Amino acid sequence: RGIPFDIARSMKMGFMEQGTINGTTFYKRLTIPIFEAEQLLSLEGRDVTGEQSPKVLYPKDSTVRTLYDLDVLDRSKPLYVLEGLTKLAVLRTDPYFANSTATFGAGLSDRQIFLLRQFDRVVMIPDADEAGKRSVAKMKDQLGKNFEVLEIPNLGIKDVRDIPQKLHTTVE
């Protein structure tokens, strides 16, 4: 996906060959811990085989009703919001998007909306699918004037993760 090692390290990415957390079995998954107030809330396990369902897994009895990296986000700067953590990792390869977060999917919780309201300006970069459209509609309704949408150019891609690959093949 074009994620450099420094970004992977900053997000504390790891790999779990096989293990169980809170009764949830992880097998061959990229793992990214999710913290808030310096407390581990959850762990995202993303399938790397392309054969598992669901492709993203969280331990039983954990929560993702937060914003990724909430503790270090600057509320006075524009906050760039994506749905997923691997998309976020790709976006963060550009320093312009350092103040960015993920919502762990398109379905926003009331608590996530509450947290987003604490930022002066929220810029959503949605996936080009129905779930992305619903997420934009909810944020627009709930956040009002402090909300903007930064749409991905129509390059035949679904989301931010595919931009480096598409640009590479387009240039050649």
Side-chain angles (χ1 to χ4, degrees):
R1 296 274 186 195
I3 301 169
F5 285 117
D6 62 326
I7 299 293
R9 274 190 297 277
S10 73
M11 294 178 72
K12 299 175 179 58
M13 288 184 182
F15 177 75
M16 187 175 293
E17 180 70 34
Q18 186 168 354
T20 302
I21 302 172
N22 290 355
T24 303
T25 300
F26 289 77
Y27 177 72
K28 292 191 178 185
R29 292 193 179 256
L30 169 71
T31 58
I32 305 171
I34 301 161
F35 294 91
E36 184 180 311
E38 299 180 13
Q39 297 293 313
L40 179 64
L41 296 182
S42 190
L43 179 79
E44 180 172 294
R46 182 171 202 71
D47 173 40
V48 296
T49 68
E51 300 169 1
Q52 298 182 69
S53 182
K55 67 180 177 182
V56 177
L57 189 62
Y58 301 97
K60 181 180 167 191
D61 299 326
S62 69
T63 183
V64 290
R65 289 185 310 237
T66 189
L67 303 175
Y68 184 78
D69 265 355
L70 179 63
D71 299 340
V72 298
L73 299 174
D74 187 336
R75 285 162 170 72
S76 66
K77 292 182 179 178
L79 176 67
Y80 296 92
V81 180
L82 296 110
E83 292 177 20
L85 288 177
T86 55
K87 298 166 196 168
L88 178 64
V90 172
L91 186 71
R92 285 184 173 180
T93 61
D94 187 323
Y96 181 84
F97 296 104
N99 201 50
S100 55
T101 192
T103 58
F104 316 104
L108 297 168
S109 71
D110 290 340
R111 183 165 189 278
Q112 287 172 313
I113 294 292
F114 169 78
L115 294 171
L116 288 168
R117 283 187 185 133
Q118 297 174 19
F119 291 83
D120 292 343
R121 184 172 162 219
V122 175
V123 182
M124 176 76 178
I125 306 173
D127 286 2
D129 59 12
E130 286 305 311
K133 289 176 187 173
R134 285 190 304 272
S135 189
V136 165
K138 182 171 185 175
M139 290 176 79
K140 190 178 288 187
D141 180 57
Q142 298 289 319
L143 300 176
K145 66 178 182 170
N146 294 342
F147 175 70
E148 300 171 40
V149 177
L150 176 61
E151 294 195 36
I152 298 171
N154 186 3
L155 300 171
I157 58 178
K158 179 183 173 235
D159 59 48
V160 157
R161 292 177 309 193
D162 300 325
I163 290 174
Q165 181 181 3
K166 182 68 174 182
L167 291 178
H168 178 71
T169 57
T170 303
V171 172
E172 292 185 336

